[in-house]
Amino acid sequence: DNFHMRVRVHPWHVLRINKMLSCAGADRLQTGMRGAYGKPVGTCARVSIGQIILSIRTKDNLGIHVLEAMRRCKYKFPGRQKVLVSKKWGFTPISREEYTKLK
């Protein structure tokens, strides 16, 4: 009720695994890398450096709570993440000053 979050990346990339046997005599049963296209085990999102992962809009008085939530949230993602406060109004391409003039 107090915020709107938009997930900007989606997990379309399929992760696959080529399971190998690890018991005695396994070399007689397996073919190695021949036909190694594995079974799907999950999905992930491919993210570039500098790509936006999440966007949140909220009222100005709740901004400190959103910053703290995003600070805690970034530890759940691998790699180094940055939390930035935009100068735009919500998810629009219009700046805050321009929005107040147009309003």
Side-chain angles (χ1 to χ4, degrees):
D1 199 33
N2 291 324
F3 69 95
H4 177 199
M5 183 165 64
R6 181 177 287 176
V7 179
R8 305 284 289 271
V9 292
H10 298 289
W12 303 122
H13 187 76
V14 178
L15 301 173
R16 298 182 175 274
I17 186 168
N18 181 26
K19 287 190 175 177
M20 305 291 274
L21 296 173
S22 62
C23 57
D27 55 337
R28 299 172 192 273
L29 303 173
Q30 291 177 339
T31 58
M33 290 302 289
R34 182 185 301 165
Y37 192 72
K39 293 181 180 178
V41 292
T43 57
C44 68
R46 299 189 68 167
V47 180
S48 303
I49 295 173
Q51 187 175 355
I52 298 172
I53 299 172
L54 297 171
S55 297
I56 297 180
R57 68 177 181 181
T58 186
K59 297 174 184 170
D60 290 335
N61 59 346
L62 300 172
I64 56 169
H65 300 293
V66 170
L67 284 175
E68 176 62 19
M70 292 302 289
R71 186 190 68 79
R72 293 180 182 191
C73 169
K74 71 181 185 179
Y75 297 116
K76 301 290 184 179
F77 294 100
R80 191 174 60 223
Q81 313 303 329
K82 275 197 250 181
V83 177
L84 300 174
V85 178
S86 176
K87 295 180 175 80
K88 306 291 184 186
W89 183 264
F91 292 142
T92 65
I94 302 169
S95 66
R96 289 175 169 270
E97 300 85 31
E98 192 176 341
Y99 183 82
T100 54
K101 288 178 193 173
L102 295 173
K103 191 169 136 181

